[in-house]
Amino acid sequence: MKEITEQEAFLRLSAQCAQAEHCQHEMLEKMRRWNLSEEAQAKVMARLVRERYVDDERYARAFVKDKIRYNKWGRRKIEQALWQKHIDNDIQQQVLDDVNPEEYVQMLRPLLQQKRKSTKAESPYELKQKLIRFAMGRGFGFDIIRQCMEVTDEDEPDVQDF
């Protein structure tokens, strides 16, 4: 692969950022793959941030919104994904605190009801454990899981044991 210049890198990255949200870490990784010098990477990144092509807070807000709405992830799984993207902890906490906990509950209830129908268990206790494991794997906290499990399902009378 031929060497690309600082200007070419900026143009490529700004075009990508104009199409979709990206964080600083993703842009730096792309420049590293292009073997751009550290100095050039810093200049390009500074320009991308200054011209607001890259904004980690804006990226985090879009990321959280998408993961909740489309992937049905809980807070913990989103926190881990943001950590992997090297988003600052202050930004993470601010963005995640803006999410109403009721949104998680409204999302988890139908997921658990659907999972309950497809889960085979020999006892109500085993079913409960499997549902809790499923919800924790999705990144939901135990308090929200418990809140959703306490809701009774009209179709299944033995759910009240949860």
Side-chain angles (χ1 to χ4, degrees):
M1 183 174 177
K2 72 176 189 109
E3 286 265 329
I4 66 170
T5 65
E6 191 177 311
Q7 181 63 21
E8 288 173 324
F10 173 77
L11 293 174
R12 284 186 189 181
L13 295 176
S14 62
Q16 289 178 4
C17 290
Q19 293 176 351
E21 289 292 339
H22 293 281
C23 65
Q24 290 185 32
H25 179 69
E26 291 172 343
M27 298 295 100
L28 289 171
E29 284 299 312
K30 286 181 187 285
M31 289 188 281
R32 281 188 201 114
R33 283 192 301 248
W34 295 338
N35 295 324
L36 212 59
S37 71
E38 293 283 328
E39 182 182 323
Q41 287 180 30
K43 287 180 183 176
V44 171
M45 184 54 64
R47 186 171 173 198
L48 287 170
V49 171
R50 185 176 61 246
E51 295 183 16
R52 297 200 31 87
Y53 282 106
V54 175
D55 181 350
D56 279 352
E57 184 174 347
R58 188 178 64 213
Y59 171 81
R61 288 191 187 288
F63 184 86
V64 168
K65 184 174 140 186
D66 286 352
K67 293 304 176 187
I68 289 173
R69 183 172 293 150
Y70 301 115
N71 295 52
K72 310 248 187 279
W73 283 7
R75 181 180 174 110
R76 292 195 172 138
K77 192 164 185 172
I78 294 171
E79 279 177 346
Q80 185 175 15
L82 288 173
W83 178 80
Q84 289 176 329
K85 299 277 187 181
H86 298 272
I87 302 297
D88 187 60
N89 284 337
D90 294 336
I91 294 173
Q92 284 183 37
Q93 292 309 312
Q94 180 183 356
V95 170
L96 288 168
D97 289 345
D98 288 346
V99 177
N100 185 352
E102 190 61 30
E103 277 187 66
Y104 294 120
V105 172
Q106 294 299 321
M107 182 181 28
L108 183 58
R109 278 188 184 135
L111 277 176
L112 287 175
Q113 288 173 349
Q114 185 179 8
K115 185 70 174 172
R116 184 180 293 126
K117 292 175 185 174
S118 66
T119 302
K120 292 179 177 36
E122 294 181 14
S123 68
Y125 177 78
E126 184 182 355
L127 177 63
K128 180 180 177 181
Q129 296 306 311
K130 287 182 177 184
L131 292 174
I132 289 172
R133 243 189 330 266
F134 167 76
M136 291 188 105
R138 286 287 183 122
F140 292 96
F142 195 71
D143 54 334
I144 291 176
I145 296 171
R146 175 177 281 144
Q147 191 176 347
C148 292
M149 299 283 277
E150 288 172 355
V151 174
T152 59
D153 189 0
E154 300 85 38
D155 298 335
E156 298 184 36
D158 63 338
V159 174
Q160 294 171 355
D161 298 338
F162 288 23

